[in-house]
Amino acid sequence: WIRRRGEPMHLLIGGRHLGHPGDPDAEFELRIDGALVDRWRLSVAEANFLRFADSPAGLPGAGTFARLQVVSRAAAGNGTAEVAVRQFDAQPASQVIYGFGPGWHEDEYEPATGRRWRWSSERSLLRLKGPGRDVRVTLRGESPLRYVGSAPTVKVVAGGRTLGQFSPAADFEWSVVVPGAAWTASGGDIAIETDRVYLDRKSTRLNS
């Protein structure tokens, strides 16, 4: 359920195919108040999806909330296509929204401390949509030296430009401002790149 607004809206939805090789593709439909907004297909090989959708008229209608529904089904045959929706946001189009794109692993959670984090690959994309204003990207993580032998070089890249670079050798919190012109030039992508990865997990632990 999403609170109705009279101004233009945009939303994102991301998820994962949980099947195994040979399982059928999954077909998705996204509807708001019964009206089809988007339809797409996801294979086991693709594994993940992240999509953006617009609602230029906002969310008009009766009542305080609009009903958003996501349906998935196996694309063919009598098999099943197990899937999960892992990311979602809906905001006025005047605001920037973002999601975790290719290169990021599943969100993880530690009940004892309440800490949440994601492992990243050597190149992980944050995908943005909205007005091209400057944004601040903040990375927090534990010391990479727990996993690799020397400090990695970590870069934030957008629009073909390296906008920040550091080499963490201890627990860290680091921020860089990404100009709106840079991430819009890259089609909404901001890349987090590292030259060293933890091979057992094929990732380095960075929390954004």
Side-chain angles (χ1 to χ4, degrees):
W1 300 96
I2 305 176
R3 187 177 296 276
R4 297 192 186 279
R5 293 175 181 267
E7 61 190 306
M9 299 282 292
H10 56 189
L11 60 87
L12 70 84
I13 183 169
R16 182 174 179 84
H17 199 307
L18 303 177
H20 303 283
D23 286 350
D25 295 354
E27 289 185 343
F28 290 86
E29 288 186 353
L30 172 65
R31 295 178 178 271
I32 297 179
D33 290 333
L36 181 66
V37 175
D38 196 8
R39 178 185 287 125
W40 66 98
R41 188 165 177 157
L42 180 69
S43 69
V44 173
E46 292 171 310
N48 298 293
F49 73 87
L50 179 64
R51 299 179 70 86
F52 295 88
D54 295 318
S55 182
L59 297 173
T64 303
F65 298 98
R67 182 173 185 260
L68 182 141
Q69 184 180 33
V70 181
V71 177
S72 70
R73 61 180 64 87
N78 297 320
T80 60
E82 295 187 40
V83 298
V85 172
R86 301 288 175 84
Q87 301 185 69
F88 181 80
D89 196 7
Q91 299 292 339
S94 59
Q95 297 185 23
V96 175
I97 55 176
Y98 74 94
F100 294 91
W104 293 98
H105 295 266
E106 291 293 289
D107 183 33
E108 297 192 41
Y109 176 67
E110 189 174 73
T113 63
R115 178 187 296 178
R116 304 186 75 97
W117 73 88
R118 289 178 184 266
W119 293 78
S120 74
S121 66
E122 65 275 6
R123 188 173 191 269
S124 302
L125 296 181
L126 296 172
R127 291 201 155 149
L128 288 70
K129 184 176 178 63
R133 61 172 64 116
D134 297 356
V135 297
R136 180 180 297 275
V137 176
T138 299
L139 302 175
R140 302 181 186 90
E142 60 187 0
S143 173
L145 300 187
R146 294 186 59 183
Y147 307 97
V148 296
S150 59
T153 298
V154 181
K155 298 179 181 180
V156 174
V157 180
R161 299 164 51 193
T162 297
L163 302 168
Q165 176 176 315
F166 78 126
S167 295
D171 293 357
F172 62 89
E173 179 173 332
W174 179 71
S175 295
V176 60
V177 174
V178 179
W183 64 263
T184 53
S186 64
D189 287 348
I190 299 175
I192 314 296
E193 300 179 353
T194 178
D195 62 354
R196 299 184 68 82
V197 295
Y198 181 42
L199 295 179
D200 287 348
R201 293 288 300 273
K202 298 182 180 179
S203 58
T204 184
R205 188 172 180 174
L206 292 176
N207 187 20
S208 173

Coordinates of all heavy atoms in Angstrom, one line a residue, residues 17-101:
H17 N 16.0 -14.3 -8.7 CA 15.5 -15.7 -9.1 C 16.2 -16.7 -8.1 O 17.5 -16.7 -8.1 CB 15.8 -16.0 -10.5 CG 15.0 -17.1 -11.1 ND1 14.9 -18.3 -10.5 CD2 14.2 -17.2 -12.2 CE1 14.1 -19.1 -11.2 NE2 13.6 -18.4 -12.3
L18 N 15.5 -17.4 -7.4 CA 16.0 -18.4 -6.4 C 16.2 -19.8 -6.9 O 16.5 -20.7 -6.1 CB 15.2 -18.4 -5.1 CG 15.0 -17.0 -4.5 CD1 14.0 -17.1 -3.3 CD2 16.3 -16.4 -4.0
G19 N 15.9 -20.0 -8.2 CA 15.9 -21.3 -8.8 C 17.3 -21.8 -9.1 O 18.3 -21.2 -8.7
H20 N 17.3 -23.0 -9.7 CA 18.6 -23.7 -10.1 C 18.6 -23.9 -11.6 O 17.6 -23.7 -12.3 CB 18.6 -25.1 -9.4 CG 18.5 -25.0 -7.9 ND1 19.5 -24.6 -7.1 CD2 17.4 -25.2 -7.1 CE1 19.1 -24.7 -5.9 NE2 17.9 -25.0 -5.8
P21 N 19.8 -24.1 -12.2 CA 19.9 -24.3 -13.6 C 18.8 -25.3 -14.1 O 18.6 -26.4 -13.5 CB 21.3 -24.9 -13.8 CG 22.1 -24.3 -12.7 CD 21.1 -24.3 -11.5
G22 N 18.2 -25.0 -15.2 CA 17.1 -25.8 -15.7 C 15.7 -25.4 -15.3 O 14.7 -25.8 -15.9
D23 N 15.6 -24.6 -14.2 CA 14.3 -24.1 -13.8 C 13.8 -23.0 -14.8 O 14.6 -22.3 -15.5 CB 14.4 -23.4 -12.4 CG 14.5 -24.5 -11.3 OD1 14.4 -25.7 -11.6 OD2 14.8 -24.1 -10.2
P24 N 12.5 -22.9 -15.0 CA 12.0 -21.9 -15.9 C 12.2 -20.5 -15.6 O 12.5 -20.2 -14.4 CB 10.5 -22.2 -16.0 CG 10.2 -22.8 -14.6 CD 11.4 -23.6 -14.2
D25 N 12.2 -19.6 -16.6 CA 12.2 -18.2 -16.3 C 11.0 -17.8 -15.5 O 10.0 -18.5 -15.5 CB 12.2 -17.4 -17.6 CG 13.4 -17.6 -18.5 OD1 14.4 -18.3 -18.0 OD2 13.5 -17.1 -19.6
A26 N 11.1 -16.7 -14.8 CA 10.0 -16.1 -14.1 C 9.5 -14.9 -14.9 O 10.3 -14.1 -15.4 CB 10.4 -15.6 -12.7
E27 N 8.2 -14.8 -14.9 CA 7.5 -13.6 -15.5 C 6.9 -12.8 -14.4 O 6.2 -13.3 -13.6 CB 6.5 -14.0 -16.6 CG 7.1 -14.6 -17.8 CD 6.0 -14.9 -18.9 OE1 4.8 -15.0 -18.5 OE2 6.3 -15.1 -20.0
F28 N 7.1 -11.5 -14.4 CA 6.6 -10.6 -13.4 C 5.6 -9.6 -14.0 O 5.8 -9.2 -15.2 CB 7.8 -9.8 -12.8 CG 8.7 -10.6 -11.9 CD1 9.8 -11.2 -12.5 CD2 8.6 -10.6 -10.6 CE1 10.7 -11.9 -11.8 CE2 9.5 -11.3 -9.8 CZ 10.6 -12.0 -10.4
E29 N 4.7 -9.2 -13.2 CA 3.8 -8.1 -13.5 C 3.7 -7.2 -12.3 O 3.6 -7.6 -11.2 CB 2.4 -8.5 -13.9 CG 2.3 -9.2 -15.2 CD 0.9 -9.5 -15.6 OE1 0.0 -9.3 -14.7 OE2 0.6 -9.9 -16.7
L30 N 3.8 -5.9 -12.5 CA 3.7 -4.9 -11.5 C 2.4 -4.1 -11.8 O 2.3 -3.5 -12.9 CB 4.9 -4.0 -11.5 CG 4.8 -2.7 -10.6 CD1 4.7 -3.1 -9.1 CD2 6.1 -1.8 -10.8
R31 N 1.5 -4.0 -10.9 CA 0.2 -3.3 -11.1 C 0.0 -2.4 -9.9 O 0.3 -2.7 -8.8 CB -1.0 -4.3 -11.2 CG -0.9 -5.2 -12.4 CD -2.0 -6.2 -12.5 NE -2.0 -7.0 -13.7 CZ -2.5 -6.7 -14.8 NH1 -3.3 -5.5 -14.9 NH2 -2.4 -7.4 -15.9
I32 N -0.6 -1.2 -10.2 CA -1.1 -0.3 -9.2 C -2.6 -0.1 -9.4 O -3.0 0.3 -10.5 CB -0.3 1.1 -9.3 CG1 1.2 0.9 -9.1 CG2 -0.9 2.1 -8.4 CD1 2.0 2.1 -9.2
D33 N -3.3 -0.3 -8.4 CA -4.8 -0.3 -8.4 C -5.3 -1.1 -9.6 O -6.3 -0.7 -10.3 CB -5.3 1.2 -8.6 CG -5.1 1.9 -7.3 OD1 -5.1 1.3 -6.2 OD2 -4.9 3.2 -7.3
G34 N -4.7 -2.2 -9.9 CA -5.1 -3.2 -10.9 C -4.6 -2.8 -12.3 O -4.7 -3.7 -13.2
A35 N -4.1 -1.6 -12.5 CA -3.6 -1.2 -13.9 C -2.1 -1.7 -14.0 O -1.3 -1.5 -13.1 CB -3.7 0.3 -14.0
L36 N -1.8 -2.3 -15.2 CA -0.5 -2.8 -15.5 C 0.5 -1.6 -15.6 O 0.3 -0.7 -16.4 CB -0.5 -3.7 -16.7 CG 0.9 -4.3 -17.1 CD1 1.3 -5.3 -16.1 CD2 0.8 -4.9 -18.5
V37 N 1.6 -1.6 -14.8 CA 2.6 -0.6 -14.9 C 3.8 -1.1 -15.6 O 4.5 -0.4 -16.4 CB 3.0 -0.1 -13.5 CG1 4.1 0.9 -13.5 CG2 1.8 0.5 -12.8
D38 N 4.2 -2.4 -15.4 CA 5.4 -2.9 -16.0 C 5.3 -4.5 -16.0 O 4.6 -5.1 -15.2 CB 6.7 -2.5 -15.1 CG 8.0 -2.7 -15.9 OD1 7.9 -3.0 -17.1 OD2 9.0 -2.6 -15.2
R39 N 6.0 -5.1 -17.0 CA 6.0 -6.5 -17.1 C 7.5 -6.9 -17.6 O 8.0 -6.2 -18.5 CB 5.0 -7.0 -18.2 CG 5.0 -8.5 -18.4 CD 4.1 -8.9 -19.5 NE 2.7 -8.9 -19.1 CZ 1.7 -8.2 -19.7 NH1 2.0 -7.5 -20.8 NH2 0.5 -8.2 -19.3
W40 N 8.0 -7.9 -17.0 CA 9.4 -8.3 -17.4 C 9.6 -9.8 -17.1 O 8.8 -10.4 -16.5 CB 10.4 -7.5 -16.7 CG 10.5 -7.6 -15.2 CD1 11.4 -8.4 -14.5 CD2 9.7 -7.0 -14.2 NE1 11.2 -8.3 -13.1 CE2 10.2 -7.4 -12.9 CE3 8.6 -6.1 -14.2 CZ2 9.6 -7.0 -11.7 CZ3 8.1 -5.7 -13.1 CH2 8.5 -6.1 -11.8
R41 N 10.7 -10.3 -17.6 CA 11.1 -11.7 -17.5 C 12.5 -11.8 -16.9 O 13.4 -11.0 -17.2 CB 11.0 -12.3 -18.9 CG 11.2 -13.8 -18.9 CD 10.7 -14.3 -20.3 NE 10.9 -15.8 -20.4 CZ 10.2 -16.5 -21.3 NH1 9.3 -15.9 -22.1 NH2 10.4 -17.8 -21.4
L42 N 12.7 -12.9 -16.1 CA 14.0 -13.1 -15.4 C 14.4 -14.5 -15.5 O 13.6 -15.4 -15.1 CB 13.9 -12.6 -13.9 CG 15.2 -12.8 -13.1 CD1 16.2 -11.8 -13.6 CD2 14.9 -12.5 -11.6
S43 N 15.6 -14.8 -15.9 CA 16.1 -16.2 -16.0 C 16.9 -16.5 -14.8 O 17.4 -15.6 -14.1 CB 16.9 -16.4 -17.3 OG 18.1 -15.6 -17.3
V44 N 17.2 -17.8 -14.6 CA 18.1 -18.2 -13.6 C 19.5 -17.6 -13.8 O 20.2 -17.2 -12.9 CB 18.2 -19.7 -13.5 CG1 19.2 -20.2 -12.5 CG2 16.8 -20.3 -13.0
A45 N 19.9 -17.6 -15.1 CA 21.3 -17.1 -15.4 C 21.4 -15.6 -15.1 O 22.5 -15.2 -14.6 CB 21.6 -17.4 -16.9
E46 N 20.4 -14.9 -15.3 CA 20.4 -13.4 -15.0 C 20.5 -13.2 -13.5 O 21.1 -12.3 -13.0 CB 19.2 -12.7 -15.6 CG 19.2 -12.7 -17.1 CD 17.9 -12.1 -17.6 OE1 16.9 -12.7 -17.2 OE2 17.9 -11.2 -18.5
A47 N 19.8 -14.0 -12.8 CA 19.8 -14.1 -11.3 C 19.0 -12.9 -10.7 O 18.1 -13.1 -9.9 CB 21.2 -14.2 -10.7
N48 N 19.4 -11.7 -11.0 CA 18.9 -10.5 -10.3 C 18.3 -9.5 -11.3 O 18.6 -9.5 -12.5 CB 20.0 -9.7 -9.6 CG 20.7 -10.6 -8.5 OD1 20.0 -10.9 -7.5 ND2 21.9 -11.0 -8.7
F49 N 17.3 -8.7 -10.8 CA 16.8 -7.6 -11.6 C 16.7 -6.4 -10.7 O 16.6 -6.4 -9.5 CB 15.4 -8.0 -12.1 CG 14.3 -8.0 -11.1 CD1 13.6 -6.9 -10.8 CD2 14.0 -9.2 -10.5 CE1 12.6 -6.9 -9.9 CE2 12.9 -9.2 -9.6 CZ 12.2 -8.1 -9.2
L50 N 16.7 -5.2 -11.3 CA 16.5 -3.9 -10.7 C 15.8 -3.0 -11.7 O 16.4 -2.8 -12.8 CB 17.8 -3.3 -10.2 CG 17.6 -1.9 -9.5 CD1 16.8 -2.0 -8.2 CD2 18.9 -1.3 -9.2
R51 N 14.6 -2.6 -11.5 CA 13.8 -1.9 -12.5 C 13.2 -0.6 -11.8 O 12.9 -0.6 -10.7 CB 12.7 -2.7 -13.1 CG 13.2 -4.0 -13.8 CD 12.0 -4.8 -14.3 NE 11.4 -4.1 -15.4 CZ 11.7 -4.3 -16.7 NH1 12.8 -5.0 -17.0 NH2 11.0 -3.7 -17.6
F52 N 13.1 0.4 -12.7 CA 12.5 1.7 -12.3 C 11.2 1.9 -13.1 O 11.1 1.5 -14.3 CB 13.4 2.9 -12.6 CG 14.7 2.9 -11.7 CD1 15.8 2.2 -12.2 CD2 14.7 3.5 -10.5 CE1 17.0 2.2 -11.4 CE2 15.9 3.5 -9.7 CZ 17.0 2.9 -10.2
A53 N 10.2 2.5 -12.5 CA 9.0 2.8 -13.2 C 8.5 4.1 -12.8 O 8.7 4.6 -11.7 CB 7.9 1.7 -12.9
D54 N 7.8 4.8 -13.8 CA 7.2 6.1 -13.5 C 5.7 6.1 -13.5 O 5.1 5.3 -14.1 CB 7.7 7.1 -14.7 CG 9.2 7.3 -14.7 OD1 9.8 7.5 -13.6 OD2 9.7 7.3 -15.8
S55 N 5.2 7.0 -12.7 CA 3.8 7.3 -12.6 C 3.5 8.8 -12.8 O 3.5 9.5 -11.8 CB 3.1 6.8 -11.3 OG 1.7 7.0 -11.3
P56 N 3.5 9.3 -14.0 CA 3.5 10.8 -14.2 C 2.3 11.5 -13.6 O 2.4 12.6 -13.2 CB 3.5 10.9 -15.8 CG 4.1 9.6 -16.2 CD 3.6 8.6 -15.3
A57 N 1.2 10.8 -13.5 CA 0.0 11.4 -12.9 C 0.0 11.2 -11.4 O -1.0 11.6 -10.7 CB -1.3 10.8 -13.5
G58 N 1.0 10.7 -10.8 CA 1.0 10.4 -9.4 C 0.2 9.2 -9.0 O 0.2 8.2 -9.8
L59 N -0.5 9.2 -7.9 CA -1.3 8.0 -7.5 C -2.7 8.5 -7.2 O -3.1 8.6 -6.1 CB -0.6 7.3 -6.3 CG 0.8 6.7 -6.5 CD1 1.3 6.2 -5.2 CD2 0.7 5.6 -7.6
P60 N -3.4 8.9 -8.2 CA -4.8 9.4 -8.0 C -5.8 8.2 -7.7 O -5.4 7.0 -7.9 CB -5.2 10.0 -9.4 CG -4.4 9.2 -10.4 CD -3.1 8.8 -9.7
G61 N -6.9 8.6 -7.1 CA -7.9 7.6 -6.9 C -8.6 7.8 -5.5 O -8.2 8.7 -4.8
A62 N -9.5 6.9 -5.2 CA -10.2 7.0 -3.9 C -9.4 6.4 -2.8 O -8.7 5.4 -3.0 CB -11.6 6.3 -4.1
G63 N -9.6 6.9 -1.6 CA -8.9 6.4 -0.4 C -7.6 7.0 -0.2 O -7.0 7.7 -1.1
T64 N -7.0 6.7 0.9 CA -5.7 7.2 1.3 C -4.6 6.5 0.6 O -3.5 7.1 0.3 CB -5.5 7.1 2.8 OG1 -6.6 7.8 3.5 CG2 -4.2 7.8 3.3
F65 N -4.7 5.2 0.3 CA -3.6 4.4 -0.2 C -4.0 3.8 -1.5 O -5.1 3.4 -1.7 CB -3.2 3.3 0.8 CG -2.7 3.9 2.1 CD1 -3.5 4.0 3.2 CD2 -1.4 4.3 2.2 CE1 -3.1 4.4 4.4 CE2 -0.9 4.8 3.4 CZ -1.8 4.9 4.5
A66 N -2.9 3.7 -2.4 CA -3.0 2.9 -3.6 C -2.5 1.5 -3.4 O -1.7 1.3 -2.6 CB -2.2 3.6 -4.8
R67 N -3.1 0.5 -4.1 CA -2.7 -0.8 -3.9 C -1.7 -1.2 -5.0 O -2.0 -1.2 -6.2 CB -3.9 -1.8 -4.0 CG -3.6 -3.2 -3.8 CD -4.9 -4.0 -3.7 NE -4.7 -5.4 -3.4 CZ -4.7 -6.4 -4.3 NH1 -4.9 -6.1 -5.6 NH2 -4.5 -7.6 -4.0
L68 N -0.5 -1.6 -4.5 CA 0.5 -2.1 -5.4 C 0.7 -3.6 -5.3 O 0.7 -4.1 -4.2 CB 1.9 -1.4 -5.1 CG 3.1 -1.8 -6.0 CD1 3.9 -0.6 -6.3 CD2 3.9 -2.9 -5.4
Q69 N 0.7 -4.2 -6.5 CA 0.7 -5.7 -6.5 C 1.8 -6.2 -7.4 O 1.9 -5.7 -8.6 CB -0.6 -6.3 -6.9 CG -0.7 -7.8 -6.9 CD -2.1 -8.3 -7.4 OE1 -2.7 -7.6 -8.2 NE2 -2.6 -9.3 -6.8
V70 N 2.6 -7.1 -7.0 CA 3.6 -7.8 -7.8 C 3.3 -9.2 -7.9 O 3.1 -9.9 -6.9 CB 5.1 -7.6 -7.2 CG1 6.1 -8.3 -8.1 CG2 5.4 -6.2 -7.0
V71 N 3.2 -9.7 -9.1 CA 2.8 -11.1 -9.4 C 3.9 -11.8 -10.2 O 4.5 -11.2 -11.1 CB 1.5 -11.3 -10.1 CG1 1.2 -12.7 -10.4 CG2 0.4 -10.6 -9.3
S72 N 4.3 -13.0 -9.8 CA 5.3 -13.7 -10.6 C 4.8 -15.1 -10.9 O 4.0 -15.7 -10.1 CB 6.6 -13.8 -9.9 OG 6.6 -14.7 -8.8
R73 N 5.2 -15.7 -12.0 CA 4.8 -17.1 -12.4 C 5.9 -17.7 -13.3 O 6.7 -16.9 -13.9 CB 3.4 -17.0 -13.2 CG 3.5 -16.2 -14.4 CD 2.1 -16.2 -15.1 NE 1.1 -15.5 -14.3 CZ 0.9 -14.2 -14.4 NH1 1.6 -13.5 -15.2 NH2 0.0 -13.7 -13.7
A74 N 5.9 -19.0 -13.4 CA 6.8 -19.6 -14.3 C 6.4 -19.3 -15.7 O 5.2 -19.3 -16.1 CB 6.8 -21.1 -14.1
A75 N 7.4 -19.0 -16.6 CA 7.2 -18.6 -17.9 C 6.6 -19.7 -18.8 O 5.9 -19.4 -19.8 CB 8.4 -18.0 -18.5
A76 N 7.0 -20.9 -18.5 CA 6.5 -22.0 -19.4 C 6.5 -23.3 -18.6 O 7.2 -23.5 -17.6 CB 7.5 -22.2 -20.6
G77 N 5.7 -24.3 -19.1 CA 5.7 -25.6 -18.5 C 5.0 -25.6 -17.1 O 4.4 -24.7 -16.7
N78 N 5.2 -26.8 -16.4 CA 4.5 -27.0 -15.2 C 5.4 -26.8 -14.0 O 5.1 -27.0 -12.8 CB 4.0 -28.4 -15.1 CG 2.9 -28.6 -16.2 OD1 2.1 -27.8 -16.5 ND2 3.0 -29.8 -16.8
G79 N 6.7 -26.3 -14.2 CA 7.6 -26.1 -13.1 C 7.3 -24.8 -12.3 O 6.3 -24.1 -12.6
T80 N 8.1 -24.6 -11.3 CA 7.9 -23.4 -10.5 C 9.1 -22.5 -10.7 O 10.2 -22.9 -11.1 CB 7.8 -23.7 -9.0 OG1 9.0 -24.4 -8.6 CG2 6.6 -24.6 -8.8
A81 N 8.9 -21.2 -10.5 CA 10.0 -20.2 -10.6 C 10.0 -19.5 -9.3 O 9.3 -18.5 -9.0 CB 9.8 -19.3 -11.7
E82 N 10.9 -19.9 -8.3 CA 10.9 -19.3 -7.0 C 11.7 -18.0 -7.1 O 12.8 -17.9 -7.6 CB 11.6 -20.2 -6.0 CG 10.8 -21.5 -5.7 CD 11.4 -22.3 -4.6 OE1 11.9 -21.7 -3.6 OE2 11.5 -23.5 -4.7
V83 N 11.1 -16.9 -6.6 CA 11.7 -15.6 -6.7 C 11.5 -14.9 -5.4 O 10.7 -15.3 -4.5 CB 11.1 -14.8 -7.8 CG1 11.3 -15.4 -9.2 CG2 9.6 -14.5 -7.6
A84 N 12.2 -13.8 -5.2 CA 12.1 -12.9 -4.0 C 12.3 -11.5 -4.5 O 13.1 -11.2 -5.3 CB 13.1 -13.3 -3.0
V85 N 11.4 -10.6 -3.9 CA 11.6 -9.2 -4.1 C 12.4 -8.7 -2.9 O 12.0 -8.9 -1.7 CB 10.2 -8.4 -4.1 CG1 10.4 -6.9 -4.1 CG2 9.5 -8.9 -5.4
R86 N 13.6 -8.0 -3.1 CA 14.5 -7.7 -2.1 C 14.7 -6.2 -2.0 O 15.3 -5.7 -1.0 CB 15.9 -8.3 -2.4 CG 15.8 -9.9 -2.4 CD 15.6 -10.4 -1.0 NE 15.4 -11.9 -1.1 CZ 16.4 -12.8 -1.1 NH1 17.6 -12.4 -1.1 NH2 16.1 -14.1 -1.1
Q87 N 14.3 -5.4 -3.0 CA 14.4 -3.9 -2.9 C 13.2 -3.3 -3.4 O 12.5 -3.8 -4.3 CB 15.6 -3.5 -3.8 CG 16.9 -4.1 -3.5 CD 18.0 -3.5 -4.4 OE1 18.4 -2.3 -4.2 NE2 18.6 -4.3 -5.3
F88 N 12.8 -2.2 -2.7 CA 11.6 -1.4 -3.1 C 11.7 0.0 -2.6 O 12.1 0.2 -1.5 CB 10.3 -2.1 -2.7 CG 9.1 -1.3 -3.1 CD1 8.6 -1.5 -4.4 CD2 8.4 -0.5 -2.3 CE1 7.5 -0.8 -4.9 CE2 7.3 0.3 -2.7 CZ 6.9 0.1 -4.0
D89 N 11.2 0.9 -3.4 CA 11.1 2.3 -2.9 C 10.1 3.0 -3.9 O 10.0 2.7 -5.1 CB 12.4 3.1 -2.9 CG 12.4 4.3 -2.1 OD1 11.4 4.6 -1.4 OD2 13.4 5.1 -2.1
A90 N 9.4 4.0 -3.3 CA 8.5 4.8 -4.1 C 8.5 6.2 -3.6 O 8.3 6.4 -2.4 CB 7.0 4.2 -4.1
Q91 N 8.8 7.2 -4.4 CA 9.0 8.6 -3.9 C 8.5 9.5 -5.0 O 8.3 9.2 -6.2 CB 10.5 8.9 -3.7 CG 11.1 8.0 -2.6 CD 10.6 8.3 -1.2 OE1 10.1 9.4 -1.0 NE2 10.8 7.3 -0.3
P92 N 8.2 10.8 -4.6 CA 7.9 11.8 -5.6 C 9.1 11.9 -6.6 O 10.2 11.7 -6.3 CB 7.8 13.1 -4.8 CG 7.4 12.6 -3.4 CD 8.1 11.3 -3.3
A93 N 8.7 12.2 -7.9 CA 9.8 12.2 -8.9 C 10.8 13.3 -8.7 O 11.8 13.4 -9.3 CB 9.1 12.4 -10.3
S94 N 10.5 14.3 -7.8 CA 11.4 15.3 -7.5 C 12.5 14.9 -6.6 O 13.5 15.6 -6.3 CB 10.6 16.5 -6.8 OG 10.0 16.0 -5.6
Q95 N 12.5 13.6 -6.1 CA 13.5 13.1 -5.2 C 14.3 12.0 -6.0 O 13.8 11.3 -6.9 CB 12.9 12.5 -4.0 CG 12.1 13.5 -3.1 CD 11.6 12.9 -1.8 OE1 12.2 11.9 -1.4 NE2 10.6 13.5 -1.2
V96 N 15.6 11.9 -5.5 CA 16.4 10.8 -6.1 C 16.1 9.5 -5.4 O 16.1 9.5 -4.1 CB 17.9 11.2 -6.0 CG1 18.8 10.0 -6.4 CG2 18.2 12.5 -6.8
I97 N 16.0 8.4 -6.1 CA 15.9 7.1 -5.5 C 17.0 6.2 -6.1 O 17.6 6.5 -7.1 CB 14.5 6.4 -5.8 CG1 14.2 6.3 -7.3 CG2 13.4 7.1 -5.0 CD1 13.0 5.5 -7.6
Y98 N 17.4 5.2 -5.3 CA 18.6 4.4 -5.8 C 18.4 3.0 -5.3 O 17.6 2.7 -4.4 CB 19.9 4.9 -5.2 CG 20.1 4.7 -3.8 CD1 20.8 3.5 -3.4 CD2 19.6 5.5 -2.8 CE1 21.0 3.2 -2.0 CE2 19.9 5.3 -1.4 CZ 20.6 4.1 -1.1 OH 20.8 3.8 0.3
G99 N 19.1 2.1 -6.0 CA 19.0 0.7 -5.7 C 20.4 0.1 -5.9 O 21.3 0.7 -6.6
F100 N 20.6 -1.2 -5.4 CA 21.8 -1.9 -5.6 C 21.8 -2.7 -6.9 O 20.9 -3.7 -7.0 CB 22.1 -2.8 -4.4 CG 22.3 -2.0 -3.1 CD1 21.3 -1.6 -2.3 CD2 23.6 -1.6 -2.8 CE1 21.5 -0.9 -1.1 CE2 23.8 -0.9 -1.6 CZ 22.8 -0.5 -0.8
G101 N 22.6 -2.4 -7.8 CA 22.6 -3.1 -9.1 C 23.6 -4.2 -9.2 O 24.0 -4.8 -8.2

